Amino acid sequence: MEKVVIIGGGYAGIYALRELVKNKDIKITLIDTHTFHNLQPEVYDLIANKSNIADVTIDLTTLCMGLKHSYLEYKNLKVTQIDSLKKKIYTEEKEIVEFDYLIMAAGTRTYFPHVIPGLNNAHDIKKLNWAVYFKQSFENQLFRKIQDEAKKCDDTHIVVVGAGLSGVEIAAEMAYNSKMFFKRGNFTCDNLKISLISSADTILPGLDSKLVAISHERLKSLGIKVITNTKLQRCEDNLAYFTNGTKIDHSFLIFTGGVEASKITSELDVEKNSKGQIIVNEYMQTSKYENIFAIGDVAQIKNRKDEIMPPNVTIARISGINAGKNILNLINKKRLEKANPKLEGILIALGGKYAAGSIYGLFHVKGRIAYEIKKYVFDSYRKPLLKLITDGYKKLKKI
């Protein structure tokens, strides 16, 4: 029986898994250090009190049970070494997993440059545990403000370094959430400040100018101070120093300045880029091994115009499905299918029920309608998974 292993239970890994289970005669193993699939783009809703942990996670054990495949198993393991030639995966737990085909879907993490002293004190809210910690810390600070408002009303200053999608969305959600917090309680100590720092000459570098303009106007209306052409130089205690000569006394520093591939990619002797992402061909295969694939954020994926695609859910879906299909094609000795990665559009959450987006590059939407489109896209992904984990839970309770 052919053995297929997926390392990483994120968006790309789940799409690949759902494709692979169509073949009932192979053994499939999903490995992840977490027990849940983190719906990372929705973590900002968690921080802004629009959802809870159950809304932004999918249990991997019950998901695998719900897929109804006799030879599918989920293993909560930390991979330490991959032997590509012996086709063995070694783990911190001393368990060895063998494979005939391997899909790398371990994703990326926030890159904290070592050249910036003190940056280790910044929050990496892409990780669910840190997102929850930040949410609790922020709420505690708000409570202290209203508790002491008759005596003093110190500034609370959140500094978000990095004005890409992650930075813009978290700044917008935090600004909107805090405004509603003070408004609902009629509290007077509403002196919360948020600064968004961009090293480029604009926010959302790489996106079209109209979408940037819509987003910038929304941030401005939320009272967010946008500082461009500026880099973080160093951090000391609660002070952040910048290349424009300024220093900011902050309560929280959130760094979203870039990403790098999961450390596990270093275990593979295949071609990678400067971010550690695995370079793949049009079939999602690695440079040296036709039985090893890489998908989603952990891979450098190009479209048919040879342009590098940005890491997002759409590319995770396309690459995951393609890798799953091609492994089944290899097993069945069929011709491989070329992937056709392309963006269907982009939607940016900008606080409350307001979003902005570009649909297929043809037209722009903003406000409530863009928010509803974004919500529909998320629900169309999450609802089928909820059914699977519900079925899996019922099956598990019968055992």
Side-chain angles (χ1 to χ4, degrees):
M1 182 179 288
E2 301 281 7
K3 298 182 288 291
V4 184
V5 175
I6 303 171
I7 298 177
Y11 282 93
I14 297 302
Y15 275 114
L17 176 62
R18 292 172 72 182
E19 196 65 34
L20 289 167
V21 294
K22 293 175 181 178
N23 186 329
K24 303 300 181 183
D25 299 318
I26 59 175
K27 181 180 179 182
I28 308 168
T29 304
L30 174 65
I31 298 175
D32 201 294
T33 55
H34 299 294
T35 57
F36 53 84
H37 164 36
N38 180 13
L39 303 172
Q40 197 271 320
E42 307 308 313
V43 166
Y44 310 124
D45 281 356
L46 172 71
I47 294 171
N49 284 314
K50 288 160 67 177
S51 62
N52 58 44
I53 291 176
D55 296 321
V56 298
T57 56
I58 296 291
D59 182 70
L60 292 176
T61 300
T62 50
L63 174 65
C64 288
M65 294 287 285
L67 284 166
K68 298 174 183 175
H69 189 287
S70 300
Y71 307 108
L72 167 62
E73 60 181 348
Y74 156 69
K75 290 182 177 289
N76 179 213
L77 302 170
K78 184 175 182 179
V79 176
T80 56
Q81 184 184 348
I82 301 170
D83 192 321
S84 307
L85 296 176
K86 292 182 179 179
K87 300 179 183 178
K88 290 184 178 181
I89 297 166
Y90 300 88
T91 65
E92 193 174 85
E93 294 79 6
K94 307 302 180 186
E95 184 172 347
I96 299 173
V97 182
E98 297 183 347
F99 66 89
D100 295 301
Y101 300 92
L102 173 63
I103 296 179
M104 296 292 294
T108 56
R109 56 185 185 163
T110 300
Y111 173 59
F112 291 91
H114 300 298
V115 295
I116 303 178
L119 190 56
N120 55 306
N121 293 321
H123 295 285
D124 181 6
I125 58 166
K126 288 186 178 181
K127 294 181 179 178
L128 187 59
N129 61 322
W130 280 109
V132 172
Y133 171 78
F134 174 77
K135 169 185 165 71
Q136 293 170 340
S137 299
F138 178 63
E139 288 175 344
N140 286 338
Q141 179 126 354
L142 291 181
F143 176 72
R144 286 195 297 272
K145 283 174 70 68
I146 62 173
Q147 191 177 40
D148 299 337
E149 70 172 341
K151 303 173 187 175
K152 60 181 179 177
C153 198
D154 295 335
D155 287 348
T156 295
H157 198 160
I158 298 174
V159 178
V160 181
V161 178
L165 279 172
S166 296
V168 167
E169 289 194 330
I170 185 58
E173 289 292 359
M174 292 308 302
Y176 180 84
N177 186 47
S178 59
K179 278 180 177 290
M180 291 302 102
F181 174 86
F182 290 113
K183 185 178 180 180
R184 285 194 297 267
N186 291 313
F187 299 118
T188 59
C189 55
D190 59 349
N191 55 339
L192 181 138
K193 299 177 182 178
I194 297 179
S195 295
L196 179 63
I197 314 296
S198 175
S199 60
D201 58 2
T202 182
I203 62 169
L204 301 170
L207 299 188
D208 70 79
S209 58
K210 187 167 183 179
L211 191 53
V212 170
I214 293 171
S215 302
H216 197 283
E217 188 62 32
R218 172 64 173 176
L219 296 180
K220 184 179 176 182
S221 72
L222 291 171
I224 296 170
K225 184 177 182 181
V226 177
I227 303 171
T228 58
N229 293 308
T230 301
K231 294 181 179 180
L232 178 64
Q233 210 166 33
R234 72 181 191 276
C235 304
E236 293 177 2
D237 297 322
N238 289 330
L239 284 173
Y241 295 81
F242 297 91
T243 53
N244 63 357
T246 63
K247 63 179 179 180
I248 298 177
D249 189 354
H250 62 82
S251 307
F252 300 99
L253 178 69
I254 300 170
F255 189 81
T256 65
V259 296
E260 62 179 351
S262 170
K263 273 186 177 179
I264 194 58
T265 62
S266 63
E267 293 300 317
L268 281 176
D269 57 332
V270 295
E271 191 178 358
K272 308 178 195 76
N273 65 15
S274 59
K275 295 179 181 178
Q277 292 171 303
I278 298 168
I279 295 174
V280 295
N281 62 18
E282 61 267 44
Y283 308 113
M284 299 299 113
Q285 292 169 306
T286 56
S287 57
K288 290 179 67 175
Y289 307 99
E290 71 167 14
N291 67 322
I292 300 180
F293 295 70
I295 56 176
D297 295 359
V298 82
Q300 177 183 289
I301 299 169
K302 291 185 177 182
N303 62 16
R304 293 185 179 179
K305 295 179 181 178
D306 205 39
E307 300 166 329
I308 296 175
M309 303 305 292
N312 67 12
V313 176
T314 301
I315 303 305
R317 171 173 57 80
I318 293 170
S319 62
I321 291 173
N322 182 256
K325 284 183 176 180
N326 280 331
I327 286 178
L328 296 184
N329 286 336
L330 283 173
I331 291 171
N332 296 317
K333 295 180 171 50
K334 292 182 178 179
R335 181 179 295 181
L336 300 186
E337 299 177 28
K338 291 183 179 181
N340 186 20
K342 53 186 176 182
L343 294 176
E344 298 165 350
I346 187 165
L347 291 160
I348 308 168
L350 292 170
K353 295 182 178 180
Y354 189 104
S358 172
I359 310 300
Y360 293 105
L362 300 176
F363 61 93
H364 295 83
V365 288
K366 66 177 181 178
R368 180 65 180 265
I369 187 171
Y371 170 81
E372 294 297 341
I373 294 172
K374 192 175 191 300
K375 187 171 181 292
Y376 171 78
V377 171
F378 172 62
D379 287 344
S380 65
Y381 173 77
R382 182 170 174 264
K383 282 182 179 178
L385 297 186
L386 288 179
K387 185 181 184 309
L388 288 172
I389 63 173
T390 300
D391 292 345
Y393 181 75
K394 290 177 181 176
K395 185 178 178 182
L396 197 63
K397 294 298 284 185
K398 290 179 181 178
I399 297 175

